[in-house]
Amino acid sequence: MRRTDITRDDGTWTGLSVEVEAGRRPGLCLFSAGRRLLLAQQSCPVLLTVVDEDFCGVEFWRTDAYRSPLPPLRAETGRTLAGRPDRWAHRFVQHLLDAPGSPLHDGRWLLSPESPLLRWNHSRRPEAEFWASMLIEGHPDGYIDWFVHSGSWEILPLRPMPDADDSRVKAYRKQARDGTLPPVLLWWVSGLDCHLLLDGHARLAAAIAESAVPPLLHLHRTAPSDEVAAGTEQAVRRYETELARFTELRAAHGHAVPDGAAIAGPDLARRLRDLHTAQRPSWAWPLPGGEEQWRCVAREVTAGRWSGGGGTSG
């Protein structure tokens, strides 16, 4: 396992890149069967989904079996690491690597505070209103609306959100006011076109109750090493070609023509940064038994109460 801190040109920390070589299926694993997905944690069903035939959305059934791969966070830790998303990222990654119920599998991942959700409040709505609108409602069943919310990348909690007067939420509300609230951990899942809330249900509820922007750490899969290597080689060749072109222009027109480094350099840096940070589709493993097995699981965990997606049909 290799960790690499990602920074901007000015040295500002923007994320933690992690290359995982576990050699096994993740403990929190996505299985696919046609338009159907099953999220299981150590073989226990957590979430059942089926995509509409017209691809306008996703019906889901959420069980109460999910357990966070992160241990409870102490208020003292929140005060110590306040304003340090880099230290939180290293801490979270270590827990994810150690936990048996983690979504990490072989490949490269990025954990970053720069979630696209932070850029979606275009109409400048109050923070409580905006973040509440990003939550996908429904328990045990509900619907992820791809038609109305296309591209907004909502948040699907993996267990019911606690109320504002919940004791944990009350404790976190004080931290939200003090600026010491630990980050909320989100996992981007491309097959659902939304974020799954891995850890921080009470912390997110506290931020909403205080109408505050919740600190986030956004987990997603990135390009594998061979793709990064090939892309890096291509970007360097492009950079060298541009410098050679400017050299020819300088030879023909004199030193009034720049050497090209100020133009080609930032472009090279952007391409290299994108190679290490750009999102890649989530992995899902074929479900043994296919759709029939998915229906069997759906009948068992819903006790025949869910009609979504044919989950109770034979």
Side-chain angles (χ1 to χ4, degrees):
M1 187 277 295
R2 291 197 296 270
R3 304 186 195 184
T4 305
D5 287 298
I6 306 297
T7 59
R8 295 196 186 98
D9 295 339
D10 62 2
T12 303
W13 185 88
T14 61
L16 178 61
S17 175
V18 184
E19 188 163 355
V20 179
E21 297 177 355
R24 55 179 169 75
R25 216 163 49 195
L28 184 63
C29 187
L30 278 169
F31 294 95
S32 65
R35 292 182 291 108
R36 295 164 173 81
L37 285 177
L38 166 64
L39 180 65
Q41 190 172 39
Q42 296 182 281
S43 302
C44 187
V46 168
L47 183 71
L48 288 150
T49 74
V50 56
V51 178
D52 291 343
E53 291 185 1
D54 57 6
F55 297 98
C56 284
V58 184
E59 296 179 68
F60 69 83
W61 181 284
R62 181 178 58 189
T63 74
D64 289 318
Y66 176 71
R67 298 295 179 266
S68 171
L70 272 62
L73 303 177
R74 296 179 178 274
E76 180 181 352
T77 306
R79 289 191 293 271
T80 302
L81 302 185
R84 294 296 306 272
D86 55 337
R87 293 183 63 185
W88 277 118
H90 279 272
R91 188 183 186 92
F92 279 17
V93 160
Q94 192 58 56
H95 289 313
L96 290 172
L97 290 168
D98 294 341
S102 163
L104 295 186
H105 55 69
D106 285 3
R108 293 180 64 255
W109 298 78
L110 182 73
L111 191 58
S112 172
E114 298 187 343
S115 169
L117 286 166
L118 299 171
R119 303 189 294 270
W120 274 110
N121 192 6
H122 302 301
S123 58
R124 307 286 183 176
R125 286 184 287 170
E127 297 297 343
E129 179 184 334
F130 170 72
W131 289 100
S133 74
M134 287 292 100
L135 290 175
I136 299 169
E137 298 180 347
H139 186 74
D141 58 332
Y143 188 70
I144 305 169
D145 193 329
W146 286 353
F147 184 78
V148 174
H149 297 284
S150 176
S152 61
W153 297 350
E154 296 172 293
I155 300 171
L156 177 60
L158 286 179
R159 56 175 178 256
M161 293 291 291
D163 295 329
D165 58 356
D166 179 274
S167 60
R168 295 167 302 157
V169 175
K170 287 182 178 179
Y172 281 130
R173 290 182 68 170
K174 183 179 186 302
Q175 289 185 261
R177 293 192 298 270
D178 294 344
T180 62
L181 188 66
V184 173
L185 179 59
L186 302 177
W187 173 28
W188 166 247
V189 176
S190 60
L192 298 175
D193 198 34
C194 75
H195 301 87
L196 297 184
L197 178 48
L198 291 181
D199 187 79
H201 293 68
R203 299 195 295 277
L204 181 55
I208 292 173
E210 293 297 322
S211 198
V213 178
L216 302 177
L217 280 173
H218 179 273
L219 178 70
H220 65 261
R221 200 177 73 83
T222 59
S225 297
D226 55 349
E227 185 176 329
V228 171
T232 299
E233 183 178 347
Q234 183 181 18
V236 170
R237 283 201 306 267
R238 180 187 178 102
Y239 173 75
E240 292 172 341
T241 299
E242 276 296 281
L243 292 187
R245 184 173 71 87
F246 274 93
T247 299
E248 293 176 0
L249 290 172
R250 283 167 66 87
H253 302 288
H255 290 287
V257 177
D259 62 9
I263 298 174
D267 180 67
L268 173 64
R270 179 185 59 78
R271 291 175 181 274
L272 294 179
R273 185 167 55 248
D274 288 348
L275 281 170
H276 286 88
T277 61
Q279 289 182 346
R280 291 295 185 272
S282 307
W283 277 8
W285 277 253
L287 180 65
E291 293 186 16
E292 184 55 39
Q293 176 61 22
W294 185 95
R295 293 189 179 96
C296 180
V297 173
R299 285 194 295 269
E300 181 177 345
V301 302
T302 70
R305 291 180 291 154
W306 189 39
S307 60
T312 58
S313 63

